[in-house]
Structure formats: structure tokens, C-alpha cells
């Protein structure tokens, strides 16, 4: 410090000035003095330690050119001039964080407090400089420890939620360990089994190795168990404790291992691993111990109390260490860059400041003497006084040992500022409470404003739907937003520190290379283009990438990359081009006539097939109009349909039209017309697809003529068929009357004539042939009735056993047994007789007669089984057994019959809501089964 010229000092003033010089020279903070021209006048040893300049190197040089970065020099000069001209100070009198240039050229962020000398004739300035690196490092370390403690708490909560399931506990701990430690790519719990460590639970890259084992000796895990605390291996390739073979197989380059305890007995280890060296440090080891403690607590079960006692002892030791640190607090009280004060807990002076350091006076604007007569309420925002007093009383009552809050503080000048307040109770060495607390105050107003601005900017980047990536020039990912997570499928944790081109398998479209992209960024500072990337799901996406080089104030070079997904647009462009190519090829080569027509009816493009249909070349037809080609009678219909296309009632229509051939005749064609619309649905042109249907027209006319002839022939056949049915019915009745007489008289003659009479045999032959003729007549009449659809089946309730017995009596088959219980059925009585008689006759012809008739109830149906032991029905004939006039080839020449019996039987049964079917007899022969509806017994007469 210099004494102004012409000013005489007495001895006491000179001694005071010397003491002030010595205090400045040995002050722990950097002290700088400058005159009104901006030249450095004072420079102490602390400033040299902070910025590297020796006093003789910097005194007399302009402060702005030596210490202030180039981008801030203009603002510095403007501020000096404004103040010297009588303007209001912008930063004078309050601490401000600013970058300063070190002697070797790098930047140092310092907290600087500038104030004028205060003397009217002295236009000099003074400033204190403090290095903010320790404060920022302490804040970062505190935040890291806080995150680790919160992670340990969250792990404890997660473990508590699954505490009843040991396997779940192990799984949750390994998964949480990977999540807690950003550098970890895998985690493993190894439990002791004899001389081995068994891998019982894993997560991340180590999950696949669960179930394997390693020896305890000569391993990092063994070292952790031996030392009884967490240890870390920085590089497995250089650490003799690591099992290199196992590490290489699992992809591990560094690890951190903490022992697990069951009571006082070590039971295994918790390991976290990384695929890169030097991933963990001592803090990670300490934090891993916290996580490992949750595992031991979960596995101890009934020994929770002992674990809590051990944890309490550990925490008590920590408090003892804190007390030892507290005893050293006094030595750094005054030199601390943070505001420190002692606040009374005595009820008589509760909340009053007992002592305050210089940083506290700078923060509040009050002198130490002012603060000695004030209490904490005087500095609190009115809205927070009650809360602050309640917190302080809880400390006084012993409900809490320390607390940290962020408050609004009132300065002496009435301004508000944001401060972080940390309060701790003070105890002496014997544990008795002292009547005060230590209050630490840190001004965070500037950092809160900066944090808020950064958070707003980060939030805006997060809200951008495109993928935003910040990387270095070599491609290492420093940050990416949620848009990048959605596009590529990789979370920020997974992507950070990865190389973009490798992670995304980048291919630059258009033939450029990655090297050319890097060169453009270095030379021009930006690059735009399209790239293809591979997502986490294996899908290839095309992005429009805009990249720009960013140079942060703290040094380094970064690339801001914004990628917009244009896969759909690129695919659509390719599809349009492909469709255009396909359309042209199809249009030209198609064998179907095609035309592109303007809205005015002019033919814009015509393919060869259409021109050939008209006997012309395509060049001749193009340029003509629709009016010239179509028949005049077809034009009104075409105009009406075209109006529907224009109004949007339809997108296309088809109709038949006649087109003029080159030789003058009309060609029948089928045309499909569709409209092509532009933006807004406005019609652009018409597409006509025409097919020559002249041959089809001729075929249709021939078909119609043939159809008319067939219809006329069909009427003739129907009339002939009806005549046939009428003739057969008439003949049946005409034959039936004389045949009845022949049968009656032959029966009478046979009964009255002596069997020994020479004509008795002839009469029997006449009678037998008459019966055969009667059977044929009855079958033919039944067939005619069936074909004519005149069966009238009026069903009634019948006793099946009685009707079957009557049929057996009438056919002289009384010897055939009727098995099974009687059942009532619904059937037309004469139809039932005819069915049973025909089945008995069929059995007599082909099997020597029926062996038995069996009645079987079957729910709401009744079955009558006619069983025989004959040769049965050949398998190849069975599908045609019930067809009309169907006879088997092997019996057609030996057994008389018409082939109508079974046909009539089935149709009579179906007319009565029943059916007849065949099945082979298991004992040999055939079984014909008549199915009929059962009737309630009460309905039987």
C-alpha cells in the first residue's frame, strides 16, 4: 500500500500502516490493489500462490490485460469508467465468482470482492481473491456422499421390501449396486463355501456367471475378507491379487469388493465390476461398504439387534471423529471463506450471535460488533423466522445433532440472498452440552441463479422431440436427452462415455466418410447430412443430422448433435420412386389397355395394348379425345359417371363402352375409370383401364341362345317325366286289379286242390309268380309316390313289438324271435309294416332269412335291429346300398329283385322322422337298424 504524496504520518500512524502491510502480505486470501488507471499497485503472497504471478512481475501492469479473460475485458473497462464517472457500482462490495487467468495461461475460478479505497482524494481499488476450487470440490464431494447415502437408504428399503425371500434380497442388492455406482457394469454376491467363493447372485454383465466359483486365496475377494473392509482393484492386468483368467472371461478390468458379515463372521463378499480400468476409488469402497451393510443386515435375520449395536458403535466412532475435528475448528474459524458464527443456546440469550468471522460479515454486510448484538432472527426472512427458531430449539433439546437448510437471508442493505445454513451442536470432550451451536453460512445466490438457468436450458433440451447428443470430437458421448433414448433405445446411463459411431454403427449416406465429417467439424465448425444408425433393438433408422462445434468457457471442444428421424420420409420417397418405376413398367408392358386422360378428355398417355385394341399405334391415339373414340350412345352414361368422380361420390367406376376401330367398326370394351387427386382432394387426371370384350360378347350371345334351347328342352323333359310317372301309376293300378284276382283264385285253388293232383304244382307256380309280380308293382308304386313327393306320413303311437309280430305273422316268419323290451314309437302304421316286411324280405333274399329282431331304447329314439348271419354287404357296395335301383354285382344275376327295396325303406323311414342304416354284424352277416322317435307310454291306446 502506498501513502499519498504530500501526506505526513506520525510514528503511530506509520506503525499501524506497517502492521496493515504485514497483515496483507501474510493474509490467507489473495489481496490486489489497483489504481484508477487499472494498474496493479499491491500483490500479496496468497495472490502469487493462487495465480502464479510474483509481485515484481505484475505490479505496475494493467490488471485487465494480465488477469482478466479477453471476453470479460471490455465489461471490466466499462465498469471502471462508469464508477469513476460517478455511476453506480455493479459488483463492488460483494463477492462474485469470476474466471481469472493464471500465469501459465489456464483459467482459475476465484471469488473476488472489490471495494474502493473510500478516501475522496484516493481513486484506488482493493480486492480479496479466494480460490473456489476447494469449495466446489467440497460441494461435489458432499453431493457424492449424499447420493451414496441416499442410494444406501434406497437399497435398504428395497431389501426390506423382500426381506422374507433370501434369493430376492441377493438379487435386489446386486441390481441396486449396478444402479448406485455409475461406473459399474456388473455386480456379484459371492458366499463362502469351504475354501471357495460361490457366485450366488449377479446383475449386469456378471449375471450370466451365477453358479460358478473361485478360490478364496489369491483373489481380490479374498483380500477384502482378510482385511475386513472394502478394497478395490484398479486394473486386473497389473494387480497380482486378481484372477486374470476369470476376469478376462467375464470382461472385468477393475473391481471393488466389500466383505459381508453374519454377526461377527464373514460369510462372503459384494463385488462391483467395470469393463474399464481405474473405474473405482476409495470413496466407492466406502460407499460399497454401506450397501454391503444392507446385505449383511438382511441375511442376519434374528441377529438384527447385534447388527444395529455394531452400526451404532460405528456411528458413535464417527461422531467421536467429528468431535476431534470440532476441536480443530477454532484454528480455521477466522480464515474460512465460509461465513461462520457461534450462536447461543442459553435461554437468556437464545439465538444471539456470540462471535462471527470476517466471511460472515461480508455475507451479511454487518460488522462483527453489529452481529454481537444481534440474533439469528434479525437475519431471517420474516416468513422463515418461526421455522428457524423451531429448528434451533430442536438442536438445543438434543432432538438433532446437525441440520442443513437453505434460507433467505436479509443483508444490512435490505437485499435478499440465498444461503445454505449448516448448524451443529458443540460438545466438550466429556460429552456435556455447550450452550452454543456453530452456524456455517454459504452464499449460494449466484449459483442458484446459474443452476436455475442451467436447469431451464436442460429442460428445454429434454423437451426437444429430436435426439440431442453432446459429444467430444472423438465421439465420446457426454450427454443425451430423452429424445435420443426414445429414438435409439439406449438409456443415458448406458450411452454415456460410449463412442457414438460404434454404439450406433453410423453410416453416412451420400458416400461421405466419418473422417470427412470430422474434418468438416474442425474446419468449418458445423456439418449437416443424413446418416443411418442402428438402434438397441436392431432396427436401422435414417436421421437428418445437424452438428455444430461448441467451445465451453471452461475449455475443451464439444459437438452438439441434433438428429431427427426421417426414416418414414426416406422410405416414403423410395416407395414413391419404386412405385413410379413399377407403374411405368406395368403401363408400358401390360397386355391390358391403359390410358392416362386429362380432365378435358384428352388422352395424355396410351400404352401399346390400348392402341392395338383400336388397330392403331400409340402415337396416333395420344392427343385425341374421348369424344372421338366412344360411341355417341355411350357418351351420356360416361358423362354422368364422370360427374360422380368430380364430386367425390366415388373414386372410380366401371362400365361397358363401344370404341371406334381404325377400320370403322365398333369394339366392345369394358372400361374401369378412376380419378387421381392432388393436394386437397382436387382431381388431377383420370386413369382408364380397358379390356376388349368382343369375344366375350359373342360367347355370351351364343350362351344365351344355348340357354334358351336348353330351357325349352328342359320343359319337354319335365313333361315327359310327368307323363312317365302318370303312366307308371296308371299301369300299377291297372295291373293291380287283375293281379289281386289271380292271387285270390290261385290261393283258393291251392287250398282246395289235392296236393297229389297233377295240376297242384302248376297252381303253386302261378301263385308264386303272382306274388312276385305283386311285390314289384307295390315297389314301383312306392317309388312313384316318393319321386312325386306325395308321401303323407300321419304318425300315431304304435307298440313296436306288436307291429313287428304282425309283420312276422303276415310273412310266415313266426319262428324269428323278437328280443328286447317293448317300446312305443311314433310312425305311420302302414309305412312301419312296409319297412319291416321289406327288411325281412331283403334278409330272406340275401342271407337266408333274419336270425333275430332286437328292440333297443336309445334316449328319445328307439332302434329296431334286423340281424342276419349271411355273407354281409361287400365294403365297396355299402356307399350305394340305399340308392335307387342299386344292386351288387355279385348277387345281381342270382337273386331276383328290382333294387328298390332299401331305397323305399329309407325314404319311408325319413318321411316318419326316422332313418335306416347298415352296419356289419360282429358275429358275421348284416344288421339293418331302423331308428324311430319314441312316444310316451301313456299315449298308447
Amino acid at each position: 500500500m502506498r501513502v499519498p504524496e504530500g501526506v505526513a504520518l506520525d510514528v503511530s500512524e506509520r506503525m499501524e500502516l506497517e502492521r496493515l502491510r504485514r497483515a496483507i502480505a501474510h493474509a490467507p486470501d489473495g489481496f490486489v490493489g489497483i489504481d484508477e488507471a487499472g494498474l496493479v499497485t499491491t500483490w500479496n503472497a496468497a495472490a502469487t500462490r493462487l495465480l502464479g504471478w510474483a509481485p515484481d512481475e505484475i505490479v505496475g501492469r494493467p490488471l485487465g490485460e494480465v488477469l482478466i479473460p479477453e471476453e470479460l475485458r471490455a465489461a471490466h473497462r466499462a465498469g471502471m469508467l462508469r464508477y469513476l464517472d460517478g455511476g453506480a457500482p455493479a459488483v463492488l462490495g460483494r463477492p462474485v465468482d469470476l474466471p481469472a487467468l493464471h500465469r501459465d495461461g489456464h483459467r482459475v475460478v476465484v471469488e473476488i470482492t472489490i471495494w474502493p479505497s473510500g478516501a475522496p482524494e484516493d481513486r484506488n481499488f482493493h480486492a480479496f481473491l479466494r480460490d473456489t476450487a476447494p469449495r466446489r470440490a467440497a460441494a461435489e464431494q458432499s453431493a457424492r456422499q449424499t447420493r451414496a447415502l441416499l442410494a444406501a437408504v434406497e437399497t435398504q428399503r428395497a431389501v426390506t421390501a423382500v426381506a422374507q425371500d433370501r434369493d430376492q434380497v441377493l438379487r435386489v442388492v446386486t441390481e441396486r449396486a449396478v444402479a448406485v455406482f455409475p461406473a459399474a457394469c456388473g455386480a456379484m454376491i459371492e458366499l463362502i463355501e469351504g475354501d471357495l467363493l460361490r457366485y450366488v447372485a449377479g446383475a449386469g454383465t456378471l449375471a450370466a456367471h451365477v453358479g460358478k466359483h473361485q478360490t478364496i486365496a489369491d483373489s481380490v475377494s479374498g483380500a477384502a475378507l482378510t482385511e475386513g473392509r472394502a478394497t478395490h482393484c484398479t486394473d486386473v492386468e497389473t494387480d497380482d491379487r486378481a484372477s486374470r483368467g476369470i476376469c478376462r472371461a467375464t470382461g472385468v478390468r477393475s473391481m471393488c469388493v466389500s466383505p459381508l458379515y453374519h454377526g461377527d463372521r464373514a460369510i462372503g463378499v459384494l463385488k462391483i465390476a467395470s469393463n474399464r480400468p481405474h473405474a473405482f476409488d476409495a470413496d466407492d469402497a466406502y460407499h460399497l461398504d454401506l450397501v454391503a451393510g444392507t446385505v449383511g443386515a438382511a441375511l442376519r435375520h434374528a441377529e438384527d439387534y447385534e447388527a444395529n449395536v455394531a452400526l451404532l458403535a460405528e456411528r458413535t466412532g464417527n461422531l467421536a471423529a467429528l468431535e476431534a475435528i470440532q476441536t480443530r475448528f477454532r484454528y480455521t474459524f477466522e480464515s474460512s471463506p465460509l461465513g461462520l458464527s457461534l450462536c447461543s443456546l442459553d435461554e437468556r440469550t437464545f439465538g444471539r450471535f456470540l462471535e462471527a468471522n470476517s466471511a460472515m460479515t461480508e455475507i451479511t454486510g454487518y460488522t462483527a460488533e453489529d452481529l454481537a448484538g444481534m440474533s439469528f432472527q434479525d437475519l431471517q426472512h420474516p416468513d422463515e423466522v418461526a421455522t428457524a427458531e423451531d429448528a434451533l430449539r430442536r438442536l438445543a433439546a438434543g432432538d438433532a445433532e446437525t441440520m442443513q437448510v437453505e434460507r433467505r437471508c436479509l443483508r444490512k442493505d435490505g437485499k435478499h440472498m440465498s444461503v445454505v445454513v449448516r448448524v451443529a451442536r458443540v460438545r466438550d470432550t466429556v460429552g456435556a452440552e455447550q450452550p452454543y451451536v456453530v452456524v456455517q453460512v454459504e452464499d449460494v445466490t449466484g449459483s442458484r441463479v446459474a443452476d436455475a438457468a442451467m436447469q431451464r436450458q436442460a429442460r428445454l433440451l429434454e423437451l426437444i422431440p429430436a435426439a440431442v447428443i453432446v459429444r467430444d470430437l472423438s465421439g465420446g458421448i457426454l450427454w443425451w436427452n430423452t429424445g435420443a433414448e426414445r429414438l435409439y433405445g439406449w438409456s443415458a446411463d448406458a450411452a454415456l462415455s460410449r463412442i457414438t459411431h460404434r454404439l450406433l454403427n453410423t453410416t453416412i449416406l451420400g458416400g461421405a466418410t466419418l473422417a470427412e465429417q470430422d474434418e468438416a467439424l474442425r474446419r468449418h465448425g458445423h456439418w449437416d447430412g443424413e446418416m443411418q444408425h442402428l438402434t438397441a433393438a436392431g432396427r436401422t433408422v435414417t436421421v437428418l443430422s445437424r452438428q455444430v462445434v461448441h467451445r465451453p468457457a471452461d475449455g475443451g471442444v464439444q459437438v452438439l448433435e441434433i438428429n431427427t428421424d426421417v426414416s418414414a420420409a426416406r422410405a416414403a420417397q423410395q416407395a414413391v420412386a419404386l412405385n413410379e418405376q413399377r407403374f411405368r413398367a406395368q403401363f408400358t408392358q401390360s397386355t391390358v389397355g391403359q390410358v392416362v386422360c386429362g380432365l378435358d378428355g384428352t388422352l395424355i398417355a396410351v400404352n401399346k395394348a390400348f392402341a392395338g385394341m383400336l388397330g392403331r399405334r400409340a402415337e396416333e391415339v395420344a392427343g385425341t379425345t374421348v369424344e372421338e373414340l366412344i360411341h355417341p350412345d355411350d357418351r351420356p352414361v360416361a358423362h354422368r359417371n364422370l360427374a360422380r368422380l368430380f364430386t367425390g361420390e366415388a373414386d372410380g367406376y366401371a362400365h361397358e363402352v363401344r370404341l371406334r376401330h381404325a377400320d370403322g367398326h365398333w369394339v366392345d370394351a369394358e372400361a374401369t375409370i378412376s380419378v387421381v387427386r392432388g393436394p386437397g382432394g382436387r382431381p388431377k387426371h383420370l386413369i382408364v383401364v380397358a379390356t376388349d370384350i368382343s369375344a366375350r360378347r359373342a360367347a355370351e350371345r351364343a350362351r344365351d341362345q344355348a340357354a334358351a334351347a336348353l330351357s325349352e328342352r328342359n320343359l319337354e323333359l319335365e313333361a315327359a317325366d310327368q307323363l312317365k310317372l302318370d303312366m307308371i301309376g296308371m299301369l300299377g293300378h291297372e295291373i293291380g286289379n287283375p293281379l289281386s284276382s289271380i292271387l285270390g283264385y290261385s290261393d283258393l285253388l291251392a287250398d282246395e286242390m289235392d296236393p297229389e293232383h297233377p295240376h297242384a304244382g302248376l297252381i303253386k307256380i302261378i301263385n308264386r309268380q303272382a306274388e312276385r309280380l305283386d311285390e314289384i308293382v307295390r315297389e314301383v308304386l312306392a317309388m312313384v309316390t316318393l319321386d312325386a313327393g306325395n308321401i303323407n306320413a300321419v304318425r300315431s303311437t304304435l307298440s313296436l313289438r306288436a307291429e313287428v309280430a304282425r309283420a312276422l305273422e303276415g310273412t310266415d316268419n313266426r319262428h324269428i324271435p323278437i328280443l328286447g323290451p317293448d317300446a312305443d314309437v311314433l310312425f305311420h302304421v302302414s309305412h312301419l309294416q312296409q319297412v319291416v316286411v321289406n327288411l325281412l324280405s331283403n334278409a330272406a333274399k340275401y342271407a337266408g332269412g333274419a336270425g333275430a329282431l332286437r328292440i333297443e331304447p336309445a334316449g328319445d329314439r328307439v332302434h329296431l335291429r334286423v340281424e342276419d348271419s349271411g355273407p354281409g354287404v361287400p365294403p365297396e357296395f355299402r356307399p350305394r346300398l340305399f340308392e335307387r335301383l342299386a344292386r351288387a354285382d355279385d348277387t345281381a344275376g342270382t337273386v331276383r329283385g328290382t333294387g328298390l327295396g332299401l331305397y323305399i325303406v329309407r325314404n319311408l323311414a325319413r318321411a316318419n322322422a326316422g332313418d335306416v342304416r347298415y352296419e356289419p354284424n360282429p358275429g358275421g352277416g348284416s344288421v339293418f337298424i331302423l331308428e324311430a322317435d319314441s312316444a310316451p307310454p301313456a299315449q298308447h291306446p
Side-chain angles (χ1 to χ4, degrees):
M1 298 180 63
R2 294 181 300 173
V3 178
E5 295 181 3
V7 177
L9 300 177
D10 59 21
V11 174
S12 61
E13 289 175 334
R14 290 184 180 276
M15 292 179 63
E16 181 64 28
L17 181 60
E18 182 62 25
R19 283 196 296 270
L20 182 58
R21 286 190 181 127
R22 289 178 178 274
I24 291 174
H26 296 88
D29 293 333
F31 182 84
V32 180
I34 59 175
D35 59 16
E36 60 181 316
L39 302 179
V40 177
T41 59
T42 306
W43 186 269
N44 71 348
T48 299
R49 290 192 299 272
L50 180 60
L51 297 175
W53 295 92
D56 56 353
E57 293 177 319
I58 196 169
V59 171
R61 299 183 65 178
L63 179 72
E65 297 179 4
V66 178
L67 298 183
I68 298 177
E70 185 175 357
E71 67 272 15
L72 300 178
R73 291 172 184 171
H76 167 70
R77 288 193 294 270
M80 290 281 292
L81 292 174
R82 182 172 60 250
Y83 178 74
L84 293 174
D85 290 341
V91 296
L92 297 182
R94 61 185 181 89
V96 179
D97 287 354
L98 293 173
L101 292 177
H102 193 272
R103 186 177 184 277
D104 60 11
H106 78 273
R107 298 191 178 204
V108 179
V109 179
V110 299
E111 180 187 273
I112 181 169
T113 305
I114 304 174
W115 64 92
S117 63
E121 69 282 359
D122 189 358
R123 298 170 66 82
N124 294 338
F125 300 88
H126 304 92
F128 268 109
L129 307 178
R130 292 190 180 92
D131 187 1
T132 63
R135 185 185 72 192
R136 289 185 284 109
E140 182 180 351
Q141 178 70 8
S142 176
R144 183 178 178 184
Q145 292 179 351
T146 300
R147 288 194 301 270
L149 290 173
L150 290 176
V153 171
E154 289 299 321
T155 302
Q156 178 64 53
R157 291 176 179 171
V159 168
T160 302
V162 296
Q164 300 303 318
D165 189 331
R166 178 177 178 273
D167 293 338
Q168 284 280 57
V169 169
L170 298 176
R171 180 186 64 78
V172 167
V173 169
T174 55
E175 291 177 352
R176 291 295 304 170
V178 174
V180 167
F181 297 93
C185 64
M188 180 71 73
I189 290 181
E190 306 168 5
L191 296 183
I192 298 174
E193 292 185 4
D195 296 333
L196 301 177
L197 282 170
R198 180 76 60 183
Y199 302 163
V200 297
T205 58
L206 300 184
H209 301 279
V210 172
K212 298 181 181 180
H213 63 272
Q214 69 169 346
T215 57
I216 297 177
D218 300 327
S219 67
V220 180
S221 300
L225 290 170
T226 301
E227 297 172 8
R229 59 182 175 84
T231 183
H232 63 281
C233 167
T234 58
D235 191 344
V236 299
E237 296 296 333
T238 59
D239 195 328
D240 294 336
R241 301 174 301 172
S243 301
R244 293 187 181 86
I246 297 176
C247 292
R248 289 169 181 169
T250 56
V252 173
R253 280 299 302 271
S254 60
M255 67 182 80
C256 188
V257 185
S258 177
L260 302 176
Y261 287 93
H262 186 281
D264 295 330
R265 179 172 58 88
I267 61 173
V269 298
L270 170 61
K271 176 192 293 181
I272 56 174
S274 175
N275 54 13
R276 58 185 176 86
H278 303 284
F280 307 109
D281 55 18
D283 286 341
D284 291 321
Y286 173 74
H287 298 156
L288 186 62
D289 268 341
L290 294 180
V291 177
T294 65
V295 184
L299 296 179
R300 280 194 293 268
H301 298 293
E303 300 176 16
D304 284 341
Y305 177 76
E306 289 78 4
N308 289 334
V309 170
L311 182 60
L312 180 60
E314 180 182 357
R315 290 182 176 176
T316 302
N318 291 338
L319 290 176
L322 288 175
E323 289 178 353
I325 295 173
Q326 187 71 21
T327 59
R328 296 191 294 271
F329 173 76
R330 175 58 56 185
Y331 299 105
T332 58
F333 182 82
E334 287 296 335
S335 59
S336 174
L338 300 176
L340 295 176
S341 63
L342 304 182
C343 186
S344 173
L345 293 180
D346 193 304
E347 280 298 328
R348 294 168 298 178
T349 58
F350 187 79
R352 180 173 296 176
F353 293 113
L354 303 176
E355 190 175 352
N357 70 348
S358 59
M360 188 70 173
T361 63
E362 293 173 4
I363 291 174
T364 62
Y366 292 99
T367 65
E369 293 75 14
D370 293 337
L371 291 173
M374 300 170 61
S375 69
F376 74 94
Q377 294 96 332
D378 298 324
L379 299 181
Q380 296 289 323
H381 189 279
D383 296 341
E384 298 174 352
V385 170
T387 304
E389 182 173 357
D390 179 66
L392 195 60
R393 290 195 178 278
R394 286 192 287 113
L395 282 172
D399 295 338
E401 295 293 331
T402 62
M403 62 177 57
Q404 175 178 319
V405 293
E406 184 171 336
R407 297 284 189 222
R408 288 173 292 176
C409 179
L410 292 177
R411 288 177 48 84
K412 183 177 182 179
D413 56 12
K415 295 182 179 179
H416 292 167
M417 59 182 178
S418 296
V419 295
V420 174
V421 181
R422 301 174 181 88
V423 186
R425 296 174 60 195
V426 178
R427 297 177 180 270
D428 64 10
T429 56
V430 296
E433 291 187 1
Q434 293 291 325
Y436 64 88
V437 293
V438 176
V439 180
Q440 177 182 292
V441 178
E442 179 181 3
D443 184 2
V444 294
T445 304
S447 63
R448 289 296 177 266
V449 173
D451 289 346
M454 291 179 63
Q455 289 175 3
R456 287 194 299 270
Q457 294 174 358
R459 181 58 180 163
L460 290 174
L461 290 176
E462 286 290 345
L463 293 175
I464 294 176
V468 179
I469 302 173
V470 179
R471 63 178 178 87
D472 55 33
L473 278 177
S474 63
I477 298 173
L478 305 175
W479 183 85
W480 76 1
N481 70 342
T482 54
E485 293 184 357
R486 289 193 298 269
L487 177 59
Y488 298 119
W490 297 107
S491 66
D493 289 341
L496 290 182
S497 77
R498 303 291 185 273
I499 303 300
T500 53
H501 306 323
R502 297 177 184 173
L503 178 66
L504 304 177
N505 196 20
T506 303
T507 300
I508 301 178
L509 301 181
T513 65
L514 293 175
E516 292 172 346
Q517 181 191 75
D518 289 343
E519 179 63 21
L521 289 171
R522 296 177 190 274
R523 178 173 297 182
H524 306 297
H526 64 87
W527 180 89
D528 295 342
E530 288 190 356
M531 303 187 298
Q532 282 189 340
H533 285 154
L534 189 66
T535 69
R539 183 172 62 91
T540 300
V541 295
T542 302
V543 299
L544 177 62
S545 182
R546 293 181 173 85
Q547 302 180 19
V548 63
V549 173
H550 170 58
R551 302 181 186 276
D554 57 354
V557 179
Q558 298 175 355
V559 177
L560 176 63
E561 181 176 331
I562 301 178
N563 298 334
T564 304
D565 186 3
V566 294
S567 303
R570 187 65 178 262
Q573 292 174 356
Q574 294 174 348
V576 168
L578 181 60
N579 288 340
E580 178 73 16
Q581 182 180 1
R582 289 174 176 172
F583 173 76
R584 292 186 179 277
Q586 185 271 343
F587 182 84
T588 303
Q589 305 298 330
S590 175
T591 58
V592 178
Q594 297 186 30
V595 178
V596 178
C597 183
L599 296 181
D600 60 354
T602 303
L603 278 60
I604 301 173
V606 178
N607 72 348
K608 293 180 180 180
F610 184 81
M613 187 190 311
L614 303 181
R616 302 181 182 182
R617 296 194 308 274
E619 309 86 70
E620 297 175 349
V621 182
T624 60
T625 64
V626 175
E627 298 288 339
E628 300 175 38
L629 296 181
I630 68 173
H631 194 282
D633 295 343
D634 296 335
R635 293 172 188 170
V637 176
H639 278 282
R640 287 196 299 271
N641 287 327
L642 194 60
R644 294 175 61 240
L645 294 184
F646 273 58
T647 58
E649 300 174 53
D651 290 327
Y653 68 90
H655 73 142
E656 294 182 0
V657 67
R658 288 165 289 181
L659 302 175
R660 186 186 301 277
H661 194 271
D663 60 11
H665 78 273
W666 296 101
V667 178
D668 289 321
E670 184 176 65
T672 301
I673 297 92
S674 57
V675 64
V676 177
R677 301 183 185 277
R682 182 183 180 86
K684 292 181 63 178
H685 52 262
L686 304 173
I687 301 295
V688 180
V689 178
T691 306
D692 187 352
I693 60 171
S694 301
R696 192 184 79 188
R697 277 297 192 191
E700 288 175 351
R701 287 192 290 269
R703 179 200 63 195
D704 293 342
Q705 293 173 358
L710 287 174
S711 177
E712 183 179 353
R713 180 60 178 162
N714 188 50
L715 292 174
E716 293 175 357
L717 290 175
E718 288 179 357
D721 187 58
Q722 185 61 42
L723 179 61
K724 176 197 70 174
L725 294 176
D726 293 343
M727 290 294 294
I728 291 174
M730 180 187 70
L731 288 174
H733 287 291
E734 292 298 326
I735 294 172
N737 292 330
L739 185 59
S740 297
S741 299
I742 293 172
L743 281 172
Y745 288 119
S746 63
D747 285 339
L748 181 62
L749 288 173
D751 291 340
E752 294 180 351
M753 185 172 288
D754 185 357
E756 300 298 330
H757 191 280
H759 298 297
L762 297 175
I763 292 174
K764 289 183 179 179
I765 291 173
I766 292 171
N767 183 264
R768 192 164 54 251
Q769 293 300 325
E771 289 177 349
R772 169 64 180 156
L773 183 59
D774 182 59
E775 180 183 351
I776 292 173
V777 169
R778 282 188 288 105
E779 288 180 349
V780 170
L781 290 176
M783 181 192 69
V784 172
T785 304
L786 292 171
D787 288 346
N790 294 328
I791 294 180
N792 186 16
V794 179
R795 300 192 300 172
S796 59
T797 301
L798 304 174
S799 169
L800 184 56
R801 178 180 287 274
E803 294 301 320
V804 171
R806 188 156 68 91
L808 292 174
E809 180 73 23
T811 57
D812 198 19
N813 286 311
R814 303 178 190 87
H815 63 284
I816 300 176
I818 304 174
L819 307 177
D822 189 16
D824 292 337
V825 297
L826 292 174
F827 224 94
H828 189 286
V829 61
S830 63
H831 291 171
L832 181 57
Q833 285 296 312
Q834 189 171 355
V835 168
V836 176
V837 169
N838 277 9
L839 291 177
L840 291 171
S841 174
N842 188 71
K845 292 177 184 178
Y846 296 98
L853 282 78
R854 192 184 308 274
I855 300 173
E856 293 181 347
D860 57 354
R861 307 275 275 185
V862 177
H863 294 171
L864 174 63
R865 298 170 60 89
V866 180
E867 304 173 355
D868 65 56
S869 55
V873 179
E876 65 275 7
F877 182 64
R878 291 172 188 171
R880 299 189 297 112
L881 183 59
F882 293 96
E883 293 181 0
R884 184 170 61 178
L885 304 176
R887 300 194 68 194
D889 294 338
D890 57 346
T891 58
T894 58
V895 180
R896 295 182 299 171
T898 61
L900 295 173
L902 293 179
Y903 169 74
I904 294 171
V905 164
R906 171 168 278 183
N907 281 277
L908 288 174
R910 289 180 174 174
N912 285 271
D915 204 353
V916 174
R917 55 187 172 85
Y918 164 84
E919 66 181 32
N921 195 338
S926 301
V927 179
F928 287 88
I929 304 169
L930 169 64
E931 297 182 3
D933 288 339
S934 62
Q939 297 180 3
H940 192 275

